[in-house]
Amino acid sequence: MSLQYTKERQAELIKNYETVLSTVNKAASEVSHHVDLIAVSKLKPASDIKALYDHGVRHFGENYGQELIAKAQELPKDIKWHFIGGLQTNKCKDLTKNVENLFAVQTVDSLKKAKKINDTREGAVVNIFLQINTSGEDQKSGLSPDDDEIEQIVEYAKDAEKINLLGLMTIGSFTRSHSEGDNPDFTALEQLKEKLDSKYGVDLKLSMGMSSDYVQAIKQGTSYVRVGTAIFGERPPKV
Ligand SMILES: *Cc1c(COP(=O)(O)O)cnc(C)c1O
């Protein structure tokens, strides 16, 4: 895997990244809330990541286990990797074992997976986000906002040594992400946060907002936005 990039490609990536970042920062300052921008690099070459890394970017998001593992092994170890893809219980161990600088797994949607991550991790603590299916669409992963398992995971995470429950994540419906005004998926995630925060005395962070709707997500209180296309351009199809 080559980490070599051209000056032209780096200039393009930096321009895109800085455009998104300044939009993020402006929206964040309007709500007086800190927001981290995660550059979603799935299906993009490691050289693209290196080009932004050399510009100072550290938070990157990946969707496919083997791709993340291969990139993490080549790229600098102070990258903060976010796994944001569909998670299978029997694949948790591959991530915890092979990605030493795994910052967060954002797609935990069962107690079993939370346990698997905790039990197989030997290095640094891994942050987890509970993925919530706020739109209730069949094809979307995630726990339903009223599922009892959510509180079971919160309870479990309190005493778990190798995971830290950092927050809640949603993708939301495509239609809602392309509509004006408050997004009901984001409202649902925010309401779940309020409920859990007051019940458990925690301050969960939210991860919501992608290329098409990250400004709206910031208005509705997110702490992390996950932006791919607006930074890296259109993705090739997954083979
Ligand atoms: C691909 C992906 C993103 C980034 O989507 P863009 O529309 O390209 O910004 C964000 N979150 C998740 C979970 C993704 O799978």
Side-chain angles (χ1 to χ4, degrees), residues 8 11 27 35 106 133 169 226 234:
E8 292 72 24
V35 177
Q106 295 210 2
N133 185 358
M169 178 271 209
R226 311 178 306 265
E234 294 295 330

Side-chain angles (χ1 to χ4, degrees), residues 40 42 63 84-85 107 131 169 171 209-212 226-230 233 235:
V40 175
K42 62 179 177 225
N63 285 57
I84 61 171
T107 45
Q131 183 174 358
M169 178 271 209
I171 297 176
M210 323 205 304
S211 290
S212 57
R226 311 178 306 265
V227 179
T229 311
R235 285 180 288 273

Side-chain angles (χ1 to χ4, degrees), residues 6 12 14 25 66 95 104 114 117 163 165 170 176 186 235:
T6 65
E12 182 183 15
I14 290 175
N25 287 340
Q66 288 315 311
L95 293 177
I117 294 168
I163 56 172
L165 177 59
T170 189
R176 289 172 182 173
F186 298 163
R235 285 180 288 273

Side-chain angles (χ1 to χ4, degrees), residues 201-235:
V202 290
D203 179 18
L204 297 175
K205 308 287 183 235
L206 302 179
S207 171
M208 54 192 199
M210 323 205 304
S211 290
S212 57
D213 58 2
Y214 66 89
V215 171
Q216 184 60 36
I218 294 169
K219 284 184 190 157
Q220 293 187 243
T222 200
S223 291
Y224 291 92
V225 290
R226 311 178 306 265
V227 179
T229 311
I231 296 171
F232 296 97
E234 294 295 330
R235 285 180 288 273

Side-chain angles (χ1 to χ4, degrees), residues 57-82:
V57 181
R58 292 295 178 269
H59 286 276
F60 290 93
E62 289 284 340
N63 285 57
Y64 307 103
Q66 288 315 311
E67 183 179 344
L68 168 54
I69 290 166
K71 285 172 170 171
Q73 281 167 354
E74 291 287 317
L75 285 155
K77 298 297 181 252
D78 58 338
I79 286 179
K80 295 176 193 294
W81 293 109
H82 293 252

